[in-house]
Amino acid sequence: MTNDSERFMRRAIELSINGFPAPNPHVGCVIVKNGEIVGEGFHDHAGGPHAEVVALQQAGEKARGADVYVTLEPCNHTGRTPPCSNALINAGVASVRIATVDFNPKATGGMEALRDAGIGLMIGILEEEAYKVNEQFLTAMRRATPYVVGKVAMSLDGRVSLPNGESKWITNEDSRAMGHRLRAECGAVLVGRNTVVRDNPLLTARVDGVVNQPTRIVLDPNSALSGMEKVFGDEAPTIHVVKQPLHERQLQAPMNGNEIDLPALLKSLFDRGITGILIEGGPITLGHFLKQGLLDRLEVFVAPKALGSGPAWVQLQVDHLANAYALDLRAMRQLGSDIWLTYQPIAPMQTAG
């Protein structure tokens, strides 16, 4: 592996961060000929051209005999767009250098197709860096369930609203804007019935560049909502999770006693094409996901305010400190006066005998 290979792949990774392609992966592509970049691109949104196609269009005839750097194995199937492996073969590229393989069983096979066409392959250039950009998608593909992110906006003393339910706005505009970006990045946002009743939220991603609004998932097993709430509007697709579906926008809730079987629900949502979910439900909904070990990441936005009372950010029952739900701090950033914390949940420790 040469320094040039890493340099060109790093550029592909930089490109891949752009766009909001959920439920598809982030992909960046760079085409190099005689040591110069002649084409580059990224996958902007699901349904739009893939990164390889964008880069090939930019390169034109210069792509023939060129080297291609792509952050994810080129797809080998026809979905909303034709296979990228065929596009690369037809363009006559000399080699394809790939950062990470694709675990999507529907799309895999690109490497074999390229190899069979006599195109040189190199795998694993800056693999770790490329994987981090695509952690949501690749994790979902490896285990066949969506990548789940919890999101909390709270006061310094851990409150998400006043006792009367008032919560607009605890955090500042920068934090709220980042929350909208998280919706777009995940591609789906989930809340419980109580959040819809209390806030009547729209749950769209009001962010420049978003082409596909995130799918809204509403947990309402007892069908207590009227269907006239904002979340059921036409601004974005909505899945209404109920015990007894009456139409196609409703999904039958898998039940475990009197509660929704969340692992089974996640599997069902993955089968519908959802690869990432942002949990924006209240303390009860977030608590169910946390205590069942279903959160991959937790994003916490903390405002420098003390409310003194009101619901805490999560509802849990812990009988011993040794059984507390531990969180590993992964990042800490400042958004104006607010603090943005990223955690990875850790399984609770067992009580010592």
Side-chain angles (χ1 to χ4, degrees), residues 43-240:
H43 185 33
D44 180 75
H45 63 277
H50 288 191
E52 298 94 323
V53 173
V54 176
L56 286 170
Q57 290 174 344
Q58 189 179 112
E61 284 300 316
K62 294 179 181 179
R64 188 163 300 278
D67 300 314
V68 177
Y69 293 81
V70 62
T71 59
L72 186 69
E73 176 185 359
C75 66
N76 195 48
H77 81 303
T78 299
R80 301 189 199 186
T81 59
C84 290
S85 56
N86 287 355
L88 293 167
I89 292 168
N90 293 336
V93 303
S95 72
V96 177
R97 288 91 188 280
I98 300 166
T100 63
V101 299
D102 190 349
F103 300 112
N104 182 359
K106 295 180 180 179
T108 192
M111 291 190 297
E112 288 78 4
L114 295 169
R115 188 180 291 112
D116 292 344
I119 295 174
L121 291 177
M122 183 179 294
I123 316 297
I125 303 173
L126 300 183
E127 181 177 13
E128 184 176 347
E129 290 91 331
Y131 189 95
K132 287 180 180 178
V133 174
N134 253 340
E135 184 176 14
Q136 172 180 305
F137 177 82
L138 293 174
T139 299
M141 288 300 134
R142 292 183 77 162
R143 69 187 186 200
T145 60
Y147 186 91
V148 181
V149 180
K151 180 247 178 179
V152 177
M154 68 180 188
S155 64
L156 192 60
D157 53 348
R159 310 294 179 174
V160 294
S161 76
L162 293 173
N164 63 7
E166 182 184 354
S167 61
K168 295 182 180 180
W169 299 102
I170 292 176
T171 54
N172 64 26
E173 289 186 6
D174 292 338
S175 293
R176 297 197 297 274
M178 187 56 63
H180 282 267
R181 290 190 65 87
L182 288 171
R183 291 176 182 176
E185 283 287 348
C186 289
V189 54
L190 182 149
V191 297
R193 175 186 61 84
N194 289 338
T195 295
V196 176
V197 170
R198 183 184 68 245
D199 299 335
N200 196 20
L202 192 59
L203 295 182
T204 54
R206 275 89 79 187
V207 181
D208 290 342
V210 173
V211 175
N212 302 312
Q213 283 293 332
T215 298
R216 301 169 297 190
I217 304 163
V218 180
L219 306 186
D220 180 28
N222 295 321
S223 300
L225 299 174
S226 69
M228 301 301 293
E229 294 83 2
K230 289 180 181 179
V231 74
F232 297 111
D234 295 331
E235 295 84 358
T238 303
I239 299 175
H240 190 188

